[in-house]
Amino acid sequence: MDKIIENLRNKPPLVHHITNYVTVNDCANVVLAAGGAPIMADDVKEVEEIVSISSVLYINIGTLNERTVESMVKAGKRANCLGLPVLLDPVGMGASRMRNDTVHRLMNEIYFTVIKGNMSEIKGLYKAERNTGGVDVKDEDIVGTENLAEAVEYVKKIAREFDSVVAVTGAIDIVTDGEQAVTVRNGHPNMSRVTGTGCMTGSVMATYVGSNPERPVDAVVAALVKMGLAGERAELEMKNKNEGISSYKRYLIDGIDLIGLEEMKEGGKIEYL
Amino acid sequence: MDKIIENLRNKPPLVHHITNYVTVNDCANVVLAAGGAPIMADDVKEVEEIVSISSVLYINIGTLNERTVESMVKAGKRANCLGLPVLLDPVGMGASRMRNDTVHRLMNEIYFTVIKGNMSEIKGLYKAERNTGGVDVKDEDIVGTENLAEAVEYVKKIAREFDSVVAVTGAIDIVTDGEQAVTVRNGHPNMSRVTGTGCMTGSVMATYVGSNPERPVDAVVAALVKMGLAGERAELEMKNKNEGISSYKRYLIDGIDLIGLEEMKEGGKIEYL
Amino acid sequence: MDKIIENLRNKPPLVHHITNYVTVNDCANVVLAAGGAPIMADDVKEVEEIVSISSVLYINIGTLNERTVESMVKAGKRANCLGLPVLLDPVGMGASRMRNDTVHRLMNEIYFTVIKGNMSEIKGLYKAERNTGGVDVKDEDIVGTENLAEAVEYVKKIAREFDSVVAVTGAIDIVTDGEQAVTVRNGHPNMSRVTGTGCMTGSVMATYVGSNPERPVDAVVAALVKMGLAGERAELEMKNKNEGISSYKRYLIDGIDLIGLEEMKEGGKIEYL
């Protein structure tokens, strides 16, 4: 954890996002709060140049369209050429054929350092299944203590097959490169009552991985701890003041700014399996 | 009111938005705060599939463009086929020929369960008039106590003609299916000092109608009460703390989360005409 | 200052934005907080009509794409025909050939009343240089006390060449029409830890210039004072309450709403050179 944060401070990353227009402002703000600098650019004519001045590329298909899919492919290929880490968030995977086809195309043409999503998205990616639950995890895909061991094995298999770090977010987050597996149990259910906490998690991951391209598992775990603690802190703040979910969101982003290394080391509920 | 909220709790709707990029984040957050789940998707290749897994479709032309207009048409037609409710927010109707043409095309090709807007937008929709006031209501179109009866008759006529529930928002909201007319007098003028309160109102309406497709008038009235009370509550909070309009917005969205059924029944200033 | 604010109150401007999707919501909200009304529209089919009902046009290339570049050109030309002020924010100028080409095309085809940016962007605009720092100012371009005189002369030269008011934002803001030069030393470094403070500054400028088309220098200076004071106030509020950067953003926008003329006159650190 120390090394991850030290690298972040020493070389703050420029994080190129090609992402959805719903949560993009929050993504930019969490990158800044986490210590990086965001740049959002999605025109096919400029993405290769933009990625070439960046430290890392984060592709999020939340509101994909035909125009930006081409940009994702171009930017991703260029990032691969340059040896930059690339993260994929297959938002809503399974909700339409277009999302499935896009993700499969992206995965064929681009090597992803990290793939993150909820269990339904990651399953959809692996099995090309239809997900009728929109962008949220389906009930049957929720990971709990009882099915954790099985879920970890499943995600490890996917990680090996894709040769990527796979991060499955949920009450228990699972991070694995196919060999090593780590769980993180921070966070609070209210995080799912704010739009874009998944995207923001992706942005924090990209920020951390951008400064730590050689340690993607540790960087992703640190990002999950940071987000989770921010979600826990926000709950206390909101409850203390009898406020609602918009205040929760504010405290969540404040937390990304305020929670320091010591707090992450003490509060992180990390388990190496 | 009880039935509306009970249905919402029993089957939280998935609310498909094709909307503008200015206020889309707030729309997603108010759907969550109101008890639904948002999904935003606007590519012509996927909107039919997305709407088919949704409970309701909300079309808002705030930042329309040629690409998304086609998506609106496709999604709306599919929703009609599936018997799903569809809401229209003709933002800025009258401000350009493109907006007028688009709305007329949408109304020709799609049956709308609910059409909502300020009086200038609704008039523009009916009379195809040019509105030079941007996206706000023109002074001469404001509904007050003195011209209320006349306005109600006018809106009823429009509702009958379009065979839709029409909701005109303002200091006095008017909701009618052409037969029954209801007014709601909740809210606060500061709501118009936050961008997107109109869009957010549409999103809350869509959430409520999504769980109550058979009772669109009651669902729309309940949504207006919720938004109006949230606006009143936000005013108190902001004034109490000597804060400004960005804090007002936070308290407004908090209110959608915090205001419960009892408060809605007690605080709702509803009149059945 | 009095005249600027008086004109704003007497004829609140309708501010047409063609801007990026990252910070557009905040831009709309600061226009409202500053006393104007925002309208965002970017389809090539409607921008000429939209600008014709507006008081001022603000073009920001933050997330430019081929579709909206055409809209920028059309809207700008029409605004010029109508004698409306037009502001340009060449976000990320120098970060890609597309940005450079676009800005040069815009400057060839449109007369800009005001061009604003950080020093790296303004330099890039003048020298067509590559900026590898993303959207932030490069270290070597930062204006401080030691190189201020030189920087002012440089910006004056640019302003004369472009026949526009040029506003360079930073710790020390420089505003000049090529003859008169003014510096503003309000603000706080935390402003750069919130995404879009540059865009929001552009929106406040556009609001003020929209009501004061004959006094662009004074209007721009007043806007910089307002933003700067809001940034200073936000720092106090945040520190007082031990909060983080998301709270800072809220207090910043609150400040634009709450800071009045007297406070601007007292707190403005303006110097006429």
Side-chain angles (χ1 to χ4, degrees):
Chain A
M1 193 83 84
D2 298 73
K3 194 67 194 160
I4 298 296
I5 300 303
E6 192 191 320
N7 286 340
L8 177 68
R9 279 187 196 139
N10 290 341
K11 33 170 199 174
L14 183 61
V15 186
H16 182 187
H17 283 61
I18 302 181
T19 187
N20 68 78
Y21 56 80
V22 183
T23 65
V24 60
N25 183 266
D26 295 325
C27 286
N29 275 317
V30 299
V31 169
L32 286 163
I39 187 160
M40 276 65 180
D42 67 17
D43 194 88
V44 75
K45 275 193 181 170
E46 71 163 352
V47 289
E48 290 169 302
E49 277 177 281
I50 297 294
V51 84
S52 75
I53 59 168
S54 301
S55 322
V56 53
L57 172 65
Y58 172 46
I59 294 177
N60 172 308
I61 65 161
T63 53
L64 82 179
N65 63 57
E66 289 187 78
R67 184 179 69 76
T68 51
V69 167
E70 293 310 315
S71 305
M72 291 171 184
V73 171
K74 277 213 167 175
K77 283 179 162 181
R78 177 59 58 97
N80 279 171
C81 284
L82 297 167
L84 299 177
V86 188
L87 288 84
L88 174 66
D89 194 338
V91 178
M93 181 71 198
S96 74
R97 201 164 304 122
M98 186 192 186
R99 286 176 196 250
N100 294 3
D101 292 348
T102 297
V103 170
H104 291 131
R105 182 176 166 203
L106 293 174
M107 294 190 61
N108 277 332
E109 306 209 27
I110 302 167
Y111 165 72
F112 288 101
T113 318
V114 179
I115 301 169
K116 75 156 278 282
N118 62 42
M119 188 53 111
S120 298
E121 289 161 346
I122 297 298
K123 260 186 155 172
L125 193 125
Y126 187 58
K127 308 203 314 188
E129 253 185 5
R130 187 83 197 280
N131 175 8
T132 54
V135 298
D136 295 322
V137 67
K138 285 187 288 188
D139 285 347
E140 74 245 42
D141 292 335
I142 291 173
V143 176
T145 321
E146 68 297 348
N147 62 345
L148 178 61
E150 188 192 350
V152 167
E153 282 317 305
Y154 182 70
V155 180
K156 279 171 88 166
K157 199 173 75 176
I158 297 176
R160 279 194 301 268
E161 185 135 339
F162 294 153
D163 192 23
S164 295
V165 172
V166 175
V168 175
T169 55
I172 308 174
D173 305 315
I174 302 170
V175 184
T176 178
D177 58 4
E179 303 300 319
Q180 187 189 17
V182 190
T183 58
V184 178
R185 291 176 196 239
N186 292 99
H188 187 275
N190 264 334
M191 293 172 81
S192 65
R193 297 188 60 230
V194 173
T195 198
T197 44
C199 309
M200 294 182 228
T201 301
S203 291
V204 178
M205 284 180 185
T207 305
Y208 282 25
V209 173
S211 297
N212 295 278
E214 274 109 61
R215 300 162 171 258
V217 169
D218 292 341
V220 165
V221 166
L224 286 165
V225 167
K226 174 77 114 167
M227 277 301 289
L229 289 173
E232 294 169 18
R233 180 188 171 281
E235 180 64 16
L236 293 178
E237 294 281 329
M238 180 181 76
K239 278 283 140 62
N240 260 342
K241 296 176 187 155
N242 284 310
E243 295 176 326
I245 199 69
S246 181
S247 300
Y248 183 86
K249 174 179 162 181
R250 178 165 76 96
Y251 297 127
L252 181 78
I253 301 179
D254 274 5
I256 297 169
D257 177 24
L258 296 173
I259 292 167
L261 175 59
E262 287 317 306
E263 208 173 328
M264 286 169 73
K265 284 160 74 176
E266 271 171 40
K269 295 183 188 148
I270 306 171
E271 202 172 346
Y272 294 86
L273 304 179
Chain B
M1 194 82 82
D2 298 73
K3 194 67 194 162
I4 298 295
I5 300 302
E6 193 192 319
N7 286 340
L8 177 67
R9 280 187 196 140
N10 291 341
K11 34 169 196 175
L14 184 60
V15 185
H16 182 187
H17 284 61
I18 302 181
T19 188
N20 68 78
Y21 57 79
V22 183
T23 65
V24 60
N25 183 266
D26 295 324
C27 285
N29 274 317
V30 300
V31 169
L32 286 163
I39 187 161
M40 276 66 181
D42 67 18
D43 193 90
V44 73
K45 273 192 179 170
E46 73 163 351
V47 289
E48 290 169 302
E49 276 177 280
I50 297 293
V51 84
S52 76
I53 60 169
S54 301
S55 321
V56 55
L57 172 66
Y58 172 47
I59 294 177
N60 173 307
I61 65 161
T63 52
L64 83 178
N65 63 56
E66 289 187 78
R67 184 179 71 76
T68 52
V69 167
E70 292 310 314
S71 304
M72 292 171 185
V73 171
K74 276 214 167 172
K77 282 179 161 181
R78 176 60 57 96
N80 280 172
C81 283
L82 297 167
L84 299 177
V86 188
L87 289 84
L88 174 66
D89 195 337
V91 178
M93 180 72 197
S96 75
R97 203 164 304 120
M98 187 191 185
R99 286 176 196 250
N100 293 3
D101 291 350
T102 297
V103 170
H104 291 130
R105 182 175 166 203
L106 293 174
M107 295 191 61
N108 276 334
E109 304 208 29
I110 302 165
Y111 165 73
F112 287 101
T113 318
V114 179
I115 300 170
K116 75 154 280 284
N118 63 42
M119 188 54 111
S120 297
E121 288 161 346
I122 298 297
K123 260 185 155 172
L125 192 125
Y126 188 56
K127 306 205 315 189
E129 255 185 3
R130 186 85 197 280
N131 175 8
T132 54
V135 298
D136 294 322
V137 68
K138 285 186 289 188
D139 285 347
E140 75 244 41
D141 292 335
I142 291 172
V143 177
T145 321
E146 68 298 345
N147 62 346
L148 179 60
E150 189 193 347
V152 167
E153 282 317 305
Y154 182 71
V155 180
K156 281 172 87 167
K157 201 173 76 177
I158 297 175
R160 280 195 300 270
E161 185 136 333
F162 294 151
D163 193 23
S164 295
V165 172
V166 175
V168 176
T169 55
I172 308 174
D173 305 315
I174 302 170
V175 183
T176 178
D177 59 3
E179 303 300 319
Q180 187 188 16
V182 190
T183 58
V184 178
R185 291 176 195 238
N186 293 98
H188 187 276
N190 264 334
M191 294 172 79
S192 65
R193 297 188 61 230
V194 174
T195 198
T197 44
C199 308
M200 294 182 227
T201 302
S203 291
V204 177
M205 285 181 184
T207 305
Y208 282 25
V209 172
S211 295
N212 294 277
E214 273 111 61
R215 300 161 171 258
V217 169
D218 292 340
V220 165
V221 166
L224 286 166
V225 166
K226 175 76 113 167
M227 277 300 290
L229 289 173
E232 294 169 17
R233 180 187 172 281
E235 180 64 16
L236 292 178
E237 294 281 329
M238 180 182 74
K239 278 284 141 59
N240 260 342
K241 295 174 188 153
N242 285 311
E243 294 176 327
I245 199 68
S246 181
S247 299
Y248 183 86
K249 174 178 162 181
R250 177 165 76 97
Y251 297 128
L252 181 79
I253 301 180
D254 273 4
I256 297 169
D257 177 24
L258 297 172
I259 293 166
L261 175 59
E262 287 317 306
E263 207 173 331
M264 286 170 73
K265 283 160 73 175
E266 270 171 41
K269 295 182 190 150
I270 306 171
E271 203 173 344
Y272 295 85
L273 304 180
Chain C
M1 193 82 84
D2 298 72
K3 194 66 192 163
I4 298 295
I5 300 303
E6 193 191 319
N7 285 341
L8 177 68
R9 280 187 195 140
N10 290 342
K11 33 168 198 174
L14 184 61
V15 185
H16 182 187
H17 284 61
I18 302 181
T19 189
N20 68 78
Y21 58 79
V22 183
T23 65
V24 60
N25 184 267
D26 295 324
C27 285
N29 274 318
V30 299
V31 169
L32 286 163
I39 187 161
M40 275 68 181
D42 67 18
D43 194 88
V44 74
K45 274 193 178 169
E46 72 164 351
V47 289
E48 290 169 302
E49 277 178 281
I50 297 295
V51 83
S52 76
I53 60 169
S54 301
S55 321
V56 54
L57 173 64
Y58 172 46
I59 294 178
N60 173 308
I61 65 161
T63 53
L64 83 178
N65 63 56
E66 289 187 79
R67 184 179 69 75
T68 51
V69 167
E70 293 309 314
S71 304
M72 291 171 184
V73 171
K74 276 214 166 173
K77 282 179 161 181
R78 176 58 59 94
N80 280 172
C81 283
L82 296 167
L84 299 178
V86 188
L87 288 84
L88 174 66
D89 194 339
V91 178
M93 181 72 197
S96 75
R97 203 164 303 120
M98 187 191 185
R99 285 176 197 250
N100 293 4
D101 292 348
T102 298
V103 170
H104 291 130
R105 182 175 167 204
L106 292 174
M107 294 191 62
N108 277 333
E109 304 209 29
I110 302 165
Y111 165 73
F112 287 101
T113 318
V114 179
I115 300 170
K116 76 155 279 282
N118 63 42
M119 188 55 109
S120 297
E121 288 161 347
I122 297 297
K123 262 185 156 173
L125 192 125
Y126 188 54
K127 307 205 312 190
E129 255 184 4
R130 188 83 196 281
N131 174 8
T132 54
V135 299
D136 295 321
V137 69
K138 285 187 288 189
D139 286 346
E140 74 244 41
D141 293 335
I142 290 172
V143 177
T145 321
E146 68 297 347
N147 62 345
L148 179 61
E150 189 193 349
V152 167
E153 283 317 306
Y154 182 71
V155 181
K156 279 172 88 167
K157 200 173 76 177
I158 297 176
R160 279 195 300 270
E161 184 136 336
F162 294 153
D163 194 22
S164 295
V165 172
V166 175
V168 176
T169 55
I172 308 175
D173 306 314
I174 302 170
V175 184
T176 177
D177 59 4
E179 305 298 321
Q180 187 187 17
V182 191
T183 59
V184 178
R185 291 177 195 238
N186 292 100
H188 187 276
N190 265 333
M191 294 172 81
S192 66
R193 297 189 59 231
V194 173
T195 198
T197 44
C199 309
M200 294 183 227
T201 302
S203 291
V204 177
M205 283 181 186
T207 305
Y208 281 25
V209 173
S211 296
N212 294 278
E214 274 112 62
R215 301 162 171 257
V217 169
D218 292 341
V220 165
V221 166
L224 286 166
V225 167
K226 174 76 113 169
M227 277 301 289
L229 289 173
E232 294 169 18
R233 180 187 172 281
E235 180 63 16
L236 293 178
E237 294 281 329
M238 180 182 75
K239 278 282 141 62
N240 260 341
K241 295 175 189 156
N242 285 311
E243 293 176 327
I245 199 68
S246 182
S247 300
Y248 183 86
K249 174 179 163 182
R250 178 164 77 96
Y251 297 129
L252 181 79
I253 302 181
D254 274 5
I256 298 170
D257 178 23
L258 296 173
I259 291 167
L261 176 58
E262 287 316 308
E263 208 173 328
M264 287 170 71
K265 283 160 71 175
E266 272 171 39
K269 294 182 190 148
I270 306 172
E271 201 172 344
Y272 294 87
L273 304 180

